[in-house]
Structures are given as C-alpha cells and as structure tokens.
Amino acid sequence: MVSTKRLSARPARESGSERRAELLAIAGELFASRGFLATTVRDIADAAGILSGSLYHHFDSKESMVDEILRDFLDTQRRTNERVLREASDPRAAIIELIRQSFAAMQHHQAAIAIFQNESKYLAQFERFGYLRQAANEFERTWTRVLQDGQRSGAFRADLNVKLAYRFIRDMVWTTVHWYNPRGKLTSNVIADQYIKILCDGIVVP
Amino acid sequence: MVSTKRLSARPARESGSERRAELLAIAGELFASRGFLATTVRDIADAAGILSGSLYHHFDSKESMVDEILRDFLDTQRRTNERVLREASDPRAAIIELIRQSFAAMQHHQAAIAIFQNESKYLAQFERFGYLRQAANEFERTWTRVLQDGQRSGAFRADLNVKLAYRFIRDMVWTTVHWYNPRGKLTSNVIADQYIKILCDGIVVP
Amino acid sequence: MVSTKRLSARPARESGSERRAELLAIAGELFASRGFLATTVRDIADAAGILSGSLYHHFDSKESMVDEILRDFLDTQRRTNERVLREASDPRAAIIELIRQSFAAMQHHQAAIAIFQNESKYLAQFERFGYLRQAANEFERTWTRVLQDGQRSGAFRADLNVKLAYRFIRDMVWTTVHWYNPRGKLTSNVIADQYIKILCDGIVVP
Amino acid sequence: MVSTKRLSARPARESGSERRAELLAIAGELFASRGFLATTVRDIADAAGILSGSLYHHFDSKESMVDEILRDFLDTQRRTNERVLREASDPRAAIIELIRQSFAAMQHHQAAIAIFQNESKYLAQFERFGYLRQAANEFERTWTRVLQDGQRSGAFRADLNVKLAYRFIRDMVWTTVHWYNPRGKLTSNVIADQYIKILCDGIVVP
DNA sequence: CATGAATGAGAGTTCATTCAT
DNA sequence: CATGAATGAACTCTCATTCAT
C-alpha cells in the first residue's frame, strides 16, 4: 500500500486542508461585511473560535488570506467566462448568459465579489495584488468585444457607447452584491431576469 | 439692533472659515480615493502642509471631518430632489431629471458621493452616523414613489419590480463615481444621456 | 531678523534634537548590555520614562536607532584614523597611535563599539546594514597597510603573518569593550599602555 | 549481576541517542552562526527536516539544548586544562600549551566556543546558567595562577599586570572563533604558533 | 517518533488624540 | 494657529511550547 505520508515538512501553510477552507470562508465573510481594514485578525480568530496567533499556522498574513480568496474567485470566473463565450450562439445570447452567470456566482462567491468590488482599489496599490488590475482589464476586454460584435451584427443599438455600456452592465451586476441576500426572497435568478429585461428593453413602455 | 457678530472669538471648530473648507476638501479627496480607514490624519495634515496635531484646532476628530462632508452633500442633494419633484411635469420627466441631477452632482461633490458610497456601511454602525441610513431610506422612498406613479400612469412597464428597478437605477448612478474623471472626455452630461437612453429603451434593437 | 522657523513639516524624525540624542544614548546602553534582539522597544521606553509608542515620534523603528548609533561611531572613527595616518611619523608610531585612539574611543563610544562587535554579524544580513561590512573592510585595509609598511621598513618582525597580526590586534582592542568599566580603576590609558607593551615586546623576558 | 541496561524505555530526553547528538550539532551551528535569540526552534527543526514540535521529544526546551552544548564543552575543557597543568614542566610551557589546547578545541567545539563567547552574558542572567560565570571564574583563576608563578620565577616580565595579561590572552584566543574556518588554509596550529610568538616576543624587532 | 493544530505571551509598530509652549 | 512631544489602545505578527492523534 502506498504511504500517504507527506514528503514536505511544512504543508499546512500551502496545501488546501479543510480547516484552511473553513477559515477562509470565515475571513471572507468578515472582509466582505466589514471591510478588509476594519476586520482585525482577532475578529477572524474569534469568529473561528481560536486565538489570533493560531491563524498564522495556516496563513502567512492577513493579506495572504484575502489574496487566496480573490485568486480563487477570479480563476473560477475566468473559466466560466471562457466557457460561456465558447458556447454562446450570438452576441445577445452571450451577454445575457454572461450576466446570468455573474449573478449565479453570487451564490457561492458573494464574499469574494464584495471584496473584489470594495477593496481592489486599496489592495491594488501593493505589488502583490497587481493581478487585480489585470483581471479587471481582462474582463473589460471580454465584455467589450461581445458588445462590439453585437453592434456590428445589428443586435445592439448603433448609438451605444460601448465603453460606457460595459461599465453600465458591470456596475449593474456587481453592485447587487452589496444588498443581495442569498436567503432572501429575491433569488439571483429573479434579479438576473429583471435586470436583463431592463437592460435589453428599457423601463419605458414603447 | 443686536449685532449678529459672534460675541467671543469662538474657536474655528464651529465657524465656516475658509481654512476649514480647504482642509475639508483635502480630507474629502483622500477619504474618497484611499478610503476613510486607510487615510490617516497625518496624511491629511501632510497634504495640507501642517502637522497632524494642528488639525485639531479646526475639527474635533477625524469623524467630525467626514461627518461634515457627508452632511453638506446630503443636505444639498435633498434640496435638489425636492425641487425636481416640485417642478417635474410627469414621472418619466421626474426620473430623467433626478438622474441628470445626480450625475450633475458629481462635478462638485464627487468626493462626498464616493465616501457616501464606500463608507456608509462602515460609518453607519456608529450612532453618530445614523442619519446615513435615514438619508438612504428617504432617497429610496422618493424614487420608489416616482416609479410607482409612472407605472400606474402607464409610463413604465407593468412587469417592473419597482424595488429592484430602484436599486438598479441607484447603483447605476452612484457607482459611476468610482471611475468618473471630471477632467476627462466623458462629461457627466454625456454619461447621463447614454445611461438614460439605456435605461429607458434598453440596448437591444427592437 | 531671520526667522528660525523650520520649513519642513516633520523635522523631529530626522534632525538632531536633544531628546533624540538622549534617547539614542539610552537605547545604545541597552543594546550594548543586553543585545539588540534581547532589548525590546518597551525596555528602551521604560528606561526613558515614556511609552513605547512615543519612541516612534522620534525614530522610524528599532533598526533606525541602532543604525544611527553605528553610523555616528563609524564616521567618527574613520575620521580619527585618517588624521592619525596623516600625522604619524612612521609605521610603529602609527600602529601605537591607532591602538591608543581606539582605546580612547571607548570613553565616549563604548556602547557603539560593543554593538558593532556583537551585532554586526546579525545586522549585516539586512541590506540596510551593508555598510557594516564595508566599514570593517576599510578598517582592515588601513591597519594592514601600516603593518606591511612597517615590515618593509624593518620595524616589525619579518616572520609576521600580516593578516593574522591585524586580526590579533583588532580583537585585542575591541574585545576590551566587553569588560571595560569607564568608572573603574583601569583607565583606558593604562590598558592601552599595557597592551601596547605586550604587543610590541611580548610577555617573555628576553 | 544487575543489568546496566535501563529498565524502562526512558524517553530519549535524557539518554544519549545518536539522533540527539545530530540535533544538538545542528542546533549548535545555528546558535553559533545566528545567535541564540535569532535562532528559532523552527530554524532548527527545518534544518533537521522535522517539525518544530517534534524537537520536544528530544529536548525539554530551546534552553536545554544550549545548556547541554555548553556543559559538554566546559567539561571537556576543564579536564584538558587540568591535564595540561599536571603535565607542564614550567609556567612558560604551561601557558603555551594552554593556548595551543584552546586553539585545538576549535576543531571540535567551534560552535560551543562561539556560543559561550556570544551568549554567556545573556544566558547567565538566568539561574539555570549560573555555572557559566563559575566556569569563567575558574578559568581565570587557573590562568592567572600560572601567569603569577611565571612572574615569580622570572619567566615573564615583572611589569606585567597579571589581570590584564590574562584578559589579553583569553580574548586573543577566544575571539578567533569568530573568523576561524576549519576548512580554510589557516589551520588552528598555524594560528596558535603565530599568536604564541606575538604574545611571547612581541611584533617589534628588538 | 513525528505530525499538525493550537496556545498565550509578548514583540514591533501605528495612529487618533491631547496639550503645554 | 501651529508645533512637537507624548499618550494609550489596538494592531499584525512571532515564537516557544503543548498535546491529541
């Protein structure tokens, strides 16, 4: 039988143990609800039922925690976006599905999304978090391309400022995270449908 | 006749001296761009060319500064909203003008708006800033009423979830503050026009 | 009359105020007697009669304190060495005067010398303290040159290993700092005389 | 006949297993090169390829490690000194042999010597390490006696301050440990010869 | 014997705030 | 009005040590 013993002498800080995941979830909730700076490592430790020093058995620093949370989310989202683009039949369907998937992400990544929204500006000033800007740029390029394709194919209004429309949609989707309640009456599906309708057809009766 | 001049040389802490206004402007920019917590009183003092202790000749605390910034903005905005509602001919015109005025506010209150957006959640946990929640509720009531009136009068789609539509519009307007550049090519008027068009008629060609 | 008001907004951390000098003296004594690592900033603050946080009004960090102490000492010592070499008539006189000056330095720089001796190895691993290695090399070059000159001129034994002789002398001088007591019976002059005699003529009766 | 084997499987904490010796050697190197305080138990464990907690199967504490290292060295050195004194024909030969043996010790006890040199002051403040001061005193008594005997017998200069001469010799010998490289060109024998020559006859040509 | 999760004390540092000058 | 020295609480992080598995 093959030994399962670890070869490395200090695995905990790097591998994906269950405890780590639990702690990251706890930290994520706090970062999202109180803000990164306003959340102390003692807050996190208290919420986890351990002492603050014990967190450093699992993570190098508070920054490492938020780093891991954000990377996880961005990786997932990037993969989802790529899949949507591969499978969409036309620009209109692509935009709608991108939006729907973004709302869907709120169910499992609400904390990460909120952190990405609220703390990117602060964190991106540190070299370590340079990838946040890169990710934002990549998203922008993706969405903008779809909007342009749709405009060329006649699916979207010609008088649309694509850059502004992108920002409009992006903000519309992500700011929802601030008030979305996964246990509330408004499911992410309902919100997505309403927003897509407003976006596509406007609020005014023609 | 009783003089309106102050009897004693009251400390500047309460009067509206020019220096105060300057300092508030400096503090506002920093709060808006770096975040309230990430901005130290020394940052503010440095930017003003004085020592941090000297700020306390003008303000009681860091909180007092943000408090004054936010109250100024909310008072102005409230008065503007009231005027718009008095003068608007119908719900559609009212909504459009409310949006246009919100965008217009960005020219003189960008910092305050950003702070209101980013820090309300954090600040509202302190009793002193309870008025932030009240102001938010008041705005919601105002806008929601207009949307409902418009729905009843047949101006807006009947299948609109008014609460969601309000949030949609609110977020759409306020998040702009994060990327709006008062010295950039996109004037607040252009942004307002584009957003109103999307909002009213959607992005899809009918 | 010319104003003496400072132009800079934050002078204390950089200029040479009296308080700074006092605090540095206190810190130096502690670093020398307990070791740099074993001395906490709270120890220093306690000895100075203030709180630990108050130290940071004057210094950026514990490292900055030891940095300033060491730079002061090395600068002084470098200048003294240069003067001795300029004024010495021959290598034998130069070596004797270098040693005498080194012992003399103990009266005003005992703490700095002890720190330089004890903590150089630890501190030099940080980039900031790279100059410690440079200073050591410079001292070595100076002393070695004098020893070689003396050997060539026939003043010193020909069978002397110059590199070893340098280390011998250097260690002989600097280790004294560990037990030298400026208020004890053995003045630095007495020690210097004895050591120079041993060094020049040996302990054995010819 | 009573077995000398231990009756129970006593924990390795007290026995002299090979693993213990290995670990002590590793710890000794680190204590010597980085300093006792600057060496963490994790450093030691990492160097040994185990986790820090596992060290506590072998030793009670970090202090126990350094304690054992120092006791080993001091015992050996004490026995060597006693043998030298028994066998030496006269004070001059005794001093020379003491020095030679001290240099010889560097080959197997370099780490211990360095630790004794660097950390005695710090460690001796704890009761447990009171024996460090005693050992130092004992060494001083031994060497001083030999120097006095030699002075009386006319072997050493009469104008020698014995106390100072002792310190001179002691420091001369022990500080070598800071730069001695057992794999370098300068063998401990060469260094001993040079230093003994300087000590006995001085550096100046008579 | 070793692991890995945890403890608990204490380290260096930050920062809003105060106040005599 | 401004300075500059100080406070005091809180912060992130370190580390020797313990112990169930």
Side-chain angles (χ1 to χ4, degrees):
Chain A
M1 202 175 134
V2 177
S3 165
T4 58
K5 220 171 168 185
R6 287 184 191 288
L7 291 176
S8 152
R10 267 159 63 200
R13 253 171 159 139
E14 295 166 30
S15 86
S17 76
E18 278 180 43
R19 192 70 175 118
R20 259 179 97 75
E22 279 179 61
L23 293 172
L24 278 182
I26 291 168
E29 300 272 316
L30 289 170
F31 291 155
S33 62
R34 302 187 189 178
F36 178 70
L37 286 172
T39 303
T40 72
V41 296
R42 273 190 182 81
D43 290 338
I44 302 169
D46 283 356
I50 58 177
L51 288 177
S52 66
S54 306
L55 281 175
Y56 291 82
H57 182 62
H58 303 276
F59 306 97
D60 285 332
S61 65
K62 191 176 150 184
E63 282 186 11
S64 293
M65 295 188 219
V66 81
D67 182 75
E68 197 163 330
I69 291 167
L70 289 171
R71 282 182 189 279
D72 273 4
F73 161 64
L74 291 174
D75 282 355
T76 306
Q77 205 60 10
R78 191 179 295 118
R79 271 196 298 277
T80 304
N81 282 358
E82 284 165 5
R83 184 174 49 71
V84 167
L85 291 182
R86 256 199 325 272
E87 298 176 358
S89 53
D90 62 82
R92 191 173 178 282
I95 282 288
I96 289 179
E97 188 58 17
L98 280 174
I99 293 173
R100 212 178 289 278
Q101 287 300 334
S102 299
F103 279 110
M106 279 199 299
Q107 273 161 348
H108 295 104
H109 296 281
Q110 190 178 14
I113 296 173
I115 297 167
F116 183 63
Q117 278 285 105
N118 298 331
E119 317 290 353
S120 272
K121 199 172 187 176
Y122 170 72
L123 293 173
Q125 78 186 287
F126 306 108
E127 222 191 321
R128 164 172 205 173
F129 291 98
Y131 66 88
L132 291 176
R133 257 192 290 265
Q134 286 173 31
N137 290 338
E138 200 185 313
F139 282 135
E140 173 158 11
R141 256 176 282 130
T142 303
W143 289 70
T144 307
R145 203 176 322 122
V146 178
L147 284 170
Q148 283 170 331
D149 289 352
Q151 217 172 16
R152 267 192 234 106
S153 73
F156 301 140
R157 292 173 184 278
D159 59 355
L160 220 58
N161 179 325
V162 170
K163 200 167 182 177
L164 274 180
Y166 159 67
R167 287 181 179 165
F168 183 102
I169 297 172
R170 176 197 64 187
D171 293 346
M172 164 190 109
V173 171
W174 293 132
T175 58
T176 315
V177 89
H178 291 129
W179 50 264
Y180 174 69
N181 177 1
R183 279 170 301 282
K185 268 178 295 187
L186 287 167
T187 66
S188 66
N189 270 335
V190 171
I191 303 171
D193 286 344
Q194 276 278 330
Y195 275 23
I196 288 167
K197 199 179 295 171
I198 296 179
L199 180 71
C200 288
D201 305 322
I203 63 172
V204 171
V205 175
Chain B
M1 197 178 136
V2 177
S3 164
T4 58
K5 222 173 153 189
R6 292 189 186 283
L7 289 178
S8 70
R10 278 270 218 91
R13 283 198 175 171
E14 306 185 13
S15 86
S17 76
E18 278 180 45
R19 190 77 175 115
R20 258 180 96 75
E22 276 179 63
L23 293 173
L24 277 182
I26 290 168
E29 300 273 315
L30 290 170
F31 291 156
S33 61
R34 302 187 190 178
F36 179 69
L37 286 172
T39 303
T40 71
V41 295
R42 222 166 56 201
D43 289 338
I44 301 169
D46 282 357
I50 57 177
L51 286 180
S52 63
S54 307
L55 279 176
Y56 289 81
H57 282 283
H58 303 276
F59 306 97
D60 287 330
S61 65
K62 190 177 153 187
E63 284 185 8
S64 294
M65 295 187 219
V66 81
D67 183 75
E68 196 162 333
I69 292 167
L70 288 171
R71 281 184 191 278
D72 273 4
F73 161 65
L74 292 174
D75 282 356
T76 307
Q77 205 59 12
R78 190 180 296 116
R79 271 195 300 275
T80 304
N81 281 357
E82 284 164 4
R83 185 175 46 72
V84 168
L85 291 181
R86 256 196 328 272
E87 298 176 357
S89 53
D90 62 79
R92 190 172 178 282
I95 282 288
I96 288 178
E97 189 58 17
L98 281 173
I99 292 172
R100 213 178 290 278
Q101 286 300 333
S102 298
F103 279 109
M106 279 198 300
Q107 274 163 346
H108 295 104
H109 297 279
Q110 190 178 13
I113 297 173
I115 297 167
F116 182 64
Q117 277 284 106
N118 299 329
E119 317 290 352
S120 272
K121 198 172 188 176
Y122 170 72
L123 293 172
Q125 78 187 290
F126 305 108
E127 220 187 323
R128 164 173 207 172
F129 291 97
Y131 65 87
L132 291 176
R133 256 193 293 266
Q134 286 172 31
N137 290 339
E138 199 184 314
F139 282 135
E140 174 159 10
R141 255 176 282 128
T142 304
W143 289 70
T144 307
R145 202 178 320 121
V146 179
L147 283 170
Q148 282 171 333
D149 290 352
Q151 218 172 17
R152 265 191 234 106
S153 74
F156 301 141
R157 294 173 182 278
D159 58 357
L160 219 57
N161 178 325
V162 169
K163 199 169 183 176
L164 273 180
Y166 159 67
R167 288 181 178 166
F168 183 102
I169 297 171
R170 176 198 62 188
D171 294 345
M172 165 189 109
V173 171
W174 294 132
T175 58
T176 314
V177 89
H178 292 128
W179 52 263
Y180 174 69
N181 176 2
R183 279 171 301 283
K185 270 177 294 185
L186 289 166
T187 67
S188 66
N189 270 333
V190 171
I191 303 171
D193 286 345
Q194 275 278 329
Y195 276 23
I196 289 168
K197 198 178 296 170
I198 295 178
L199 180 70
C200 290
D201 305 322
I203 63 171
V204 170
V205 176
Chain C
M1 201 178 134
V2 177
S3 166
T4 58
K5 219 172 166 185
R6 289 184 189 287
L7 291 176
S8 152
R10 266 157 65 199
R13 253 171 159 141
E14 293 165 33
S15 87
S17 77
E18 278 180 43
R19 192 71 176 117
R20 261 178 95 75
E22 278 179 62
L23 294 172
L24 278 182
I26 291 168
E29 299 273 316
L30 290 170
F31 291 156
S33 62
R34 302 188 190 177
F36 179 69
L37 286 172
T39 303
T40 72
V41 296
R42 279 185 179 81
D43 289 339
I44 301 169
D46 283 356
I50 58 176
L51 288 177
S52 65
S54 306
L55 282 175
Y56 290 81
H57 182 62
H58 303 276
F59 306 97
D60 284 332
S61 65
K62 191 177 151 185
E63 282 186 11
S64 293
M65 294 188 219
V66 81
D67 182 74
E68 197 162 331
I69 292 168
L70 289 171
R71 282 182 189 279
D72 273 4
F73 160 64
L74 291 174
D75 282 355
T76 306
Q77 205 60 12
R78 192 179 295 119
R79 271 196 298 276
T80 304
N81 282 359
E82 285 164 5
R83 185 175 46 71
V84 168
L85 291 182
R86 255 199 324 274
E87 298 175 357
S89 53
D90 61 80
R92 191 172 177 282
I95 282 287
I96 288 177
E97 189 59 18
L98 281 173
I99 293 173
R100 213 178 289 279
Q101 287 300 334
S102 299
F103 279 109
M106 280 199 299
Q107 271 161 350
H108 294 105
H109 296 281
Q110 190 178 13
I113 296 172
I115 297 168
F116 182 63
Q117 278 283 107
N118 298 329
E119 318 289 353
S120 271
K121 198 172 187 177
Y122 170 72
L123 293 173
Q125 77 186 288
F126 305 109
E127 221 190 322
R128 165 172 205 174
F129 291 97
Y131 66 87
L132 291 176
R133 256 193 291 266
Q134 286 172 30
N137 290 337
E138 200 184 313
F139 283 136
E140 175 159 9
R141 255 176 282 130
T142 303
W143 289 70
T144 306
R145 204 178 319 123
V146 179
L147 284 171
Q148 283 170 333
D149 290 350
Q151 219 173 15
R152 266 192 234 105
S153 74
F156 302 141
R157 293 175 184 277
D159 59 355
L160 221 58
N161 178 324
V162 170
K163 200 168 182 177
L164 273 180
Y166 159 68
R167 287 181 179 166
F168 183 102
I169 298 171
R170 176 196 63 187
D171 294 346
M172 165 190 110
V173 172
W174 294 132
T175 57
T176 314
V177 90
H178 291 128
W179 52 263
Y180 173 69
N181 177 1
R183 278 169 303 282
K185 270 176 295 186
L186 289 165
T187 66
S188 66
N189 270 333
V190 170
I191 303 172
D193 287 344
Q194 275 278 329
Y195 275 24
I196 288 167
K197 199 178 296 171
I198 296 179
L199 180 70
C200 288
D201 305 323
I203 63 171
V204 170
V205 175
Chain D
M1 198 179 134
V2 177
S3 165
T4 57
K5 223 173 152 190
R6 292 190 186 283
L7 289 177
S8 71
R10 279 270 219 91
R13 283 198 177 174
E14 305 184 12
S15 85
S17 76
E18 278 179 45
R19 191 75 175 116
R20 258 179 97 76
E22 277 179 63
L23 294 173
L24 277 181
I26 290 168
E29 299 273 316
L30 289 170
F31 291 155
S33 61
R34 302 188 190 176
F36 179 69
L37 286 172
T39 303
T40 71
V41 296
R42 238 199 3 228
D43 290 339
I44 302 169
D46 282 357
I50 57 177
L51 285 179
S52 64
S54 308
L55 278 176
Y56 289 81
H57 282 284
H58 303 277
F59 306 97
D60 286 331
S61 65
K62 191 177 152 185
E63 284 185 9
S64 294
M65 295 187 220
V66 80
D67 182 76
E68 196 162 331
I69 291 168
L70 289 171
R71 281 183 191 278
D72 273 4
F73 161 64
L74 291 174
D75 283 355
T76 306
Q77 204 60 11
R78 191 179 296 117
R79 271 196 299 277
T80 304
N81 281 358
E82 284 163 3
R83 184 174 48 71
V84 167
L85 292 181
R86 255 197 327 272
E87 298 175 358
S89 53
D90 62 80
R92 191 172 179 281
I95 282 288
I96 288 178
E97 188 58 18
L98 281 173
I99 293 173
R100 213 179 289 279
Q101 286 301 332
S102 298
F103 279 110
M106 279 199 299
Q107 273 163 346
H108 294 105
H109 295 280
Q110 189 177 15
I113 297 173
I115 298 167
F116 182 63
Q117 278 284 104
N118 298 329
E119 317 290 352
S120 272
K121 199 171 188 176
Y122 170 72
L123 293 173
Q125 78 186 290
F126 305 108
E127 222 188 321
R128 163 173 208 174
F129 291 97
Y131 66 88
L132 291 176
R133 256 193 292 265
Q134 287 172 31
N137 290 338
E138 200 184 315
F139 282 135
E140 175 159 11
R141 256 177 279 127
T142 303
W143 290 69
T144 307
R145 202 178 320 121
V146 178
L147 283 170
Q148 283 171 332
D149 289 351
Q151 219 172 17
R152 267 192 233 106
S153 73
F156 301 141
R157 293 173 182 278
D159 59 355
L160 219 57
N161 179 324
V162 169
K163 200 169 182 174
L164 275 180
Y166 160 67
R167 288 182 178 165
F168 183 102
I169 297 172
R170 177 196 63 186
D171 294 346
M172 166 190 107
V173 171
W174 294 133
T175 58
T176 313
V177 89
H178 291 128
W179 52 263
Y180 174 67
N181 177 1
R183 278 171 301 283
K185 270 177 293 185
L186 288 166
T187 66
S188 66
N189 270 333
V190 170
I191 303 171
D193 287 344
Q194 276 277 329
Y195 275 23
I196 289 168
K197 198 177 296 171
I198 296 179
L199 180 71
C200 289
D201 306 322
I203 63 171
V204 170
V205 175

